[in-house]
Amino acid sequence: MFNRPPAGMGGGRLARNPARTICLSFLLIIAVGTLLLMMPFSARSGRFTPPLDALFTATSATCVTGLVVYDTWSHWSGVGQGIILVLIQVGGLGLVTMGSFFNVLVGRRMGLHTADLAKESVNSDSFAGVRHMLRTVIIGTLLVELLGAAALACTFIPRMGLQEGAVNSVFTSVSAFCNAGFDLMGQEGTPFSSLTAFTENWAVTLPVMLLVILGGLGFVVWDDLLRWRRTRTVTLHTWLVLRLTGALLLLGFFAFLLLEWSNPGTLGPLSLGGKLNAALFHSVSCRTAGFNTVDLAALTGESKFLSVLLMFVGAAPAGTGGGIKITTVAVVVMTVLCVLRGEEDTIIQRRKVEKQAVYRALSLLSMGILIVAASTLAILLAMGGRFDAIDVVFEETSAFATVGLSVGISGAAGPLSKIVLILNMFLGRVGLLSLALALAMKSGGKKEVLPSGRILIG
């Protein structure tokens, strides 16, 4: 099925480390996007965009985050908006995934290195399933985005006209499925408004929520569910993702409904249907979507803190969402419970979780907390006390978890704060993934046998 790479190719560092190649592919996309967005043809004013702002926007689009320093419709020209849309699509699926798919499409045979890259990029557990998974990812993505655009067009075209409505439908559908959060609603007259004009409009919010959830479930879950008709069973991973996704969505929905019910800045003025719609939409959006239908700056402190927790957890692995992933949190929580019960292994649904997965989950959680804490402190110091700590934590977590929900800090941030947010968006999209892949790789050569050491815990 696979060709062996030519001599000299298989022994290079990139060939031995697919994670590094994937990271470099994202850096390449960001660099090209930055150069294009700096050009006068990308701005509505016809002027050059400052390099740091272009880098911020390119990183946010490629890392499917959604934080912006300019309103997407007001600042960027049609060409600039098109560049952002391409960055979102390529960033959501991954350059390696798309490149591998086109190789399959034209009938080219994949070398071992190419197949290894493709396997890592789509989280396939075997070389044999790479081609099938690539087709599922690309064809499934395009089909879902097309259906989402058609559903949104029923509202946008009558409201905005044929051309603008069609463009908005496609842009919003791609952005929602990729969990990016970029929008063109500034043309409604209010920059940075996101979907606040459609707070009580289920015809817009429901398709967007479904797109966000489908993108956040992960392509491994897609593939498993497509096989269900034949196998009548699902993997432990899929079982866990579906259960936790539903539980977190319901938790966020009821909590936001309770906390914001009488808040005059959010749910207070809305009808009963509007309250239900807005609470559910915010719960879904905190799963790394980046759209909002209410003023986020007006949320209560309790709601902001809950939003931070939901954003930090994020979506499922092998999808378009961010965060440390719900399966990571599940493994850590079950490990704690098993330790408290005196069990030596982590047990989920009567199945033993591999030690390697437990160590990886603990590492990802610890590193995520450390990155968010250190970055929050850096932004607080750089902003000089201009924003409350909870708002800074909110914005920082939104960047790290590639969510894109904003309380206004990104637009007002200075150069140092923007750099911190840029680094977090990149780390959130590829850094922790690379760490997980690196931890999963077996080191070659003989392993040194070390003496045991005793450390007291607790």
Side-chain angles (χ1 to χ4, degrees):
M1 179 177 177
F2 305 111
N3 290 329
R4 189 168 297 280
M9 288 183 63
R13 289 185 177 182
L14 290 180
R16 294 196 305 267
N17 195 335
R20 185 175 302 167
T21 304
I22 293 172
C23 286
L24 290 176
S25 72
F26 275 94
L27 285 174
L28 175 63
I29 300 168
I30 291 171
V32 172
T34 300
L35 291 174
L36 292 175
L37 291 177
M38 284 173 55
M39 296 296 105
F41 56 73
S42 293
R44 193 173 290 276
S45 65
R47 300 176 181 176
F48 282 96
T49 297
L52 185 58
D53 291 340
L55 174 62
F56 189 101
T57 304
T59 304
S60 183
T62 305
C63 298
V64 290
T65 305
L67 292 178
V68 295
V69 291
Y70 301 116
D71 177 72
T72 306
W73 186 86
S74 303
H75 179 81
W76 303 107
S77 66
V79 174
Q81 293 166 15
I83 292 169
I84 290 172
L85 184 63
V86 171
L87 292 176
I88 291 171
Q89 187 72 89
V90 175
L93 296 178
L95 183 62
V96 171
T97 300
M98 297 185 71
S100 300
F101 172 75
F102 285 115
N103 277 337
V104 172
L105 192 66
V106 299
R108 292 183 58 184
R109 293 168 64 85
M110 288 189 290
L112 290 178
H113 174 44
T114 304
D116 194 29
L117 279 174
K119 182 170 73 75
E120 298 292 355
S121 67
V122 297
N123 279 52
S124 176
D125 56 2
S126 67
F127 286 110
V130 170
R131 287 175 177 268
H132 171 75
M133 183 66 80
L134 285 172
R135 292 191 184 97
T136 300
V137 169
I138 301 297
I139 296 175
T141 293
L142 296 179
L143 180 60
V144 170
E145 289 175 349
L146 180 62
L147 292 174
L152 292 170
C154 295
T155 300
F156 288 165
I157 289 179
R159 182 186 180 102
M160 306 172 185
L162 179 60
Q163 182 177 342
E164 291 296 332
V167 169
N168 266 275
S169 299
V170 172
F171 193 99
T172 304
S173 180
V174 173
S175 183
F177 178 78
C178 291
N179 282 217
F182 280 82
D183 66 85
L184 301 179
M185 297 305 161
Q187 64 179 290
E188 293 280 290
T190 306
F192 305 102
S193 60
S194 191
L195 298 180
T196 53
F198 306 95
T199 306
E200 302 197 41
N201 191 333
W202 287 91
V204 172
T205 59
L206 185 58
V208 170
M209 286 189 283
L210 290 175
L211 287 164
V212 169
I213 292 171
L214 286 173
L217 284 177
F219 301 116
V220 173
V221 173
W222 280 31
D223 189 58
D224 202 19
L225 292 177
L226 290 173
R227 296 173 188 267
W228 182 84
R229 290 184 61 183
R230 178 167 49 86
T231 63
R232 294 296 173 180
T233 185
V234 295
T235 63
L236 177 61
H237 171 83
T238 297
W239 180 89
L240 197 59
V241 167
L242 293 177
R243 291 290 185 95
L244 290 178
T245 297
L248 290 176
L249 289 177
L250 288 176
L251 170 65
F253 168 67
F254 286 113
F256 291 126
L257 201 61
L258 177 65
L259 295 171
E260 299 293 325
W261 183 270
S262 302
N263 187 343
T266 55
L267 303 189
L270 303 179
S271 65
L272 175 60
K275 292 178 191 289
L276 297 175
N277 192 350
L280 180 59
F281 190 91
H282 187 65
S283 179
V284 172
S285 197
C286 281
R287 307 305 311 289
T288 80
F291 294 102
N292 61 283
T293 58
V294 296
D295 181 9
L296 298 178
L299 290 174
T300 62
E302 294 83 358
S303 291
K304 288 179 181 177
F305 182 72
L306 179 60
S307 299
V308 167
L309 295 180
L310 290 175
M311 290 190 294
F312 185 75
V313 172
T320 59
I324 62 170
K325 311 301 184 184
I326 53 178
T327 48
T328 299
V329 175
V331 170
V332 171
V333 171
M334 290 308 300
T335 299
V336 173
L337 293 178
C338 288
V339 169
L340 293 177
R341 291 197 295 257
E343 298 174 355
E344 293 185 357
D345 296 305
T346 301
I347 308 296
I348 300 178
Q349 197 65 8
R350 299 180 60 84
R351 304 207 184 155
K352 183 172 71 173
V353 180
E354 295 178 347
K355 294 289 186 183
Q356 188 181 55
V358 175
Y359 298 151
R360 201 183 315 162
L362 291 169
S363 299
L364 290 173
L365 176 63
S366 302
M367 179 165 284
I369 294 173
L370 179 62
I371 291 172
V372 170
S375 299
T376 298
L377 180 59
I379 295 174
L380 280 170
L381 293 174
M383 299 292 281
R386 283 190 289 153
F387 289 91
D388 292 336
I390 185 62
D391 289 336
V392 176
V393 173
F394 187 102
E395 199 90 1
E396 156 58 25
T397 306
S398 181
F400 172 75
T402 67
V403 179
L405 295 177
S406 176
V407 290
I409 291 179
S410 294
L416 180 57
S417 297
K418 287 180 181 176
I419 291 172
V420 172
L421 291 173
I422 287 170
L423 291 174
N424 271 270
M425 288 188 285
F426 181 76
L427 283 174
R429 184 69 179 101
V430 300
L432 296 186
L433 170 63
S434 298
L435 173 63
L437 294 178
L439 289 173
M441 293 177 189
K442 296 181 179 179
S443 57
K446 282 188 174 182
K447 290 186 178 181
E448 184 181 359
V449 179
L450 301 174
S452 300
R454 183 168 179 259
I455 300 177
L456 299 178
I457 302 295

